[in-house]
């Protein structure tokens, strides 16, 4: 990328081909930012994944930098080798049911060693959720089918690991540095003008 940028700086070039894109549905999942923002960033992630934890701070940096220019959607892709990822995904949807997804998301990524059902219930209490409703939701696996929908959508899009991002449909795979996000977002912002 650095080599290509150097060549472009020396010679006036214009790329006419549109980068590969995929249509990824928001699926009524938790989101931040205006629906009509010029940039839509969808993340498939796993609450037990250490790489997703690394990407967590980068995502926050991206959202702080671009503000209302980004509509960020979180979708679940719990990996089979992370046994507490799926229960965490289901519990986060139970928190979303009471309007506290993002606070719960912060707690889960804030301490990945606290992913037991008891931890989820303690998080819910700390966040002021209606605990009987939350506990029943977690215990019944109410959102299991929705997690399956996200997994299927990720598989269809070619996701094989976490985190995986789609920025206006352009895939960015792995815990990439801020600069990788910035490059794609800036290109997309120029293209939308």
């Amino acid at each position: 990328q650095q080599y290509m940028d150097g060549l472009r700086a020396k010679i006036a070039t214009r790329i006419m081909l549109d980068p590969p894109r995929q249509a990824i549905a928001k699926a009524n999942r938790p989101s931040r930012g205006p629906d009509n923002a010029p940039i839509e960033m969808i993340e498939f992630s796993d609450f037990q994944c250490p790489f997703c934890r690394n990407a967590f701070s980068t995502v926050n940096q991206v959202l702080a930098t671009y503000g209302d220019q980004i509509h960020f959607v979180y979708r679940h892709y719990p990996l089979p080798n992370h046994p507490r990822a799926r229960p965490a995904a289901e519990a986060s949807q139970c928190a979303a049911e009471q309007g506290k997804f993002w606070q719960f998301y912060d707690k889960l990524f804030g301490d990945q060693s606290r992913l037991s059902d008891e931890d989820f219930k303690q998080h819910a209490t700390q966040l002021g959720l209606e605990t009987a409703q939350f506990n029943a939701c977690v215990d019944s696996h109410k959102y299991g089918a929705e997690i399956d929908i996200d997994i299927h959508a990720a598989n269809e899009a070619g996701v094989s690991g976490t985190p995986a991002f789609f920025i206006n449909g352009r895939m960015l795979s792995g815990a990439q540095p801020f600069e990788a996000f910035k490059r794609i977002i800036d290109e997309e912002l120029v293209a939308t003008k």
Side-chain angles (χ1 to χ4, degrees):
Q1 186 64 48
Q2 187 177 12
Y3 175 72
M4 294 299 291
D5 291 344
L7 288 176
R8 286 188 192 107
K10 292 178 186 174
I11 302 167
T13 59
R14 192 168 141 213
I15 298 173
M16 302 293 288
L17 297 173
D18 196 33
R21 296 179 194 278
Q22 295 191 55
I24 308 293
K26 298 176 195 177
N28 198 29
R29 293 299 180 263
S31 64
R32 290 179 171 173
D35 286 337
N36 63 348
I39 304 298
E40 179 180 79
M41 183 167 79
I42 297 175
E43 178 183 11
F44 286 96
S45 189
D46 172 324
F47 285 116
Q48 196 175 2
C49 166
F51 299 107
C52 298
R53 171 65 185 99
N54 293 341
F56 171 73
S57 58
T58 305
V59 167
N60 285 334
Q61 182 182 2
V62 167
L63 296 176
T65 301
Y66 290 96
D68 285 347
Q69 294 179 300
I70 293 189
H71 180 71
F72 174 56
V73 179
Y74 185 91
R75 295 194 67 183
H76 302 283
Y77 194 66
L79 298 173
N81 59 324
H82 295 148
R84 296 306 302 165
R86 185 179 182 96
E90 291 178 14
S92 73
Q93 288 303 125
C94 292
E97 184 177 88
Q98 296 187 46
K100 297 277 186 164
F101 174 83
W102 294 109
Q103 296 88 334
F104 203 82
Y105 160 96
D106 289 342
K107 285 218 175 262
L108 295 177
F109 277 129
D111 186 354
Q112 287 182 317
S113 70
R114 298 199 59 218
L115 297 178
S116 71
D117 286 352
E118 188 55 40
D119 291 325
F120 302 151
K121 292 172 184 181
Q122 288 176 4
H123 295 330
T125 300
Q126 292 167 356
L127 294 172
L129 297 177
E130 204 306 300
T131 55
Q133 178 186 343
F134 178 85
N135 294 349
C137 180
V138 169
D139 293 341
S140 70
H141 303 281
K142 180 177 179 179
Y143 289 99
E146 289 196 21
I147 305 307
D148 290 338
I149 289 168
D150 282 2
I151 292 168
H152 179 74
N155 289 338
E156 289 289 310
V159 173
S160 59
T162 55
F165 298 89
F166 291 87
I167 302 169
N168 283 2
R170 295 171 62 180
M171 187 175 195
L172 181 63
S173 186
Q176 298 287 329
F178 173 77
E179 292 72 26
F181 287 88
K182 182 178 181 349
R183 180 180 54 80
I184 293 174
I185 292 168
D186 289 349
E187 287 174 7
E188 290 299 306
L189 287 172
V190 167
T192 60
K193 289 183 181 179

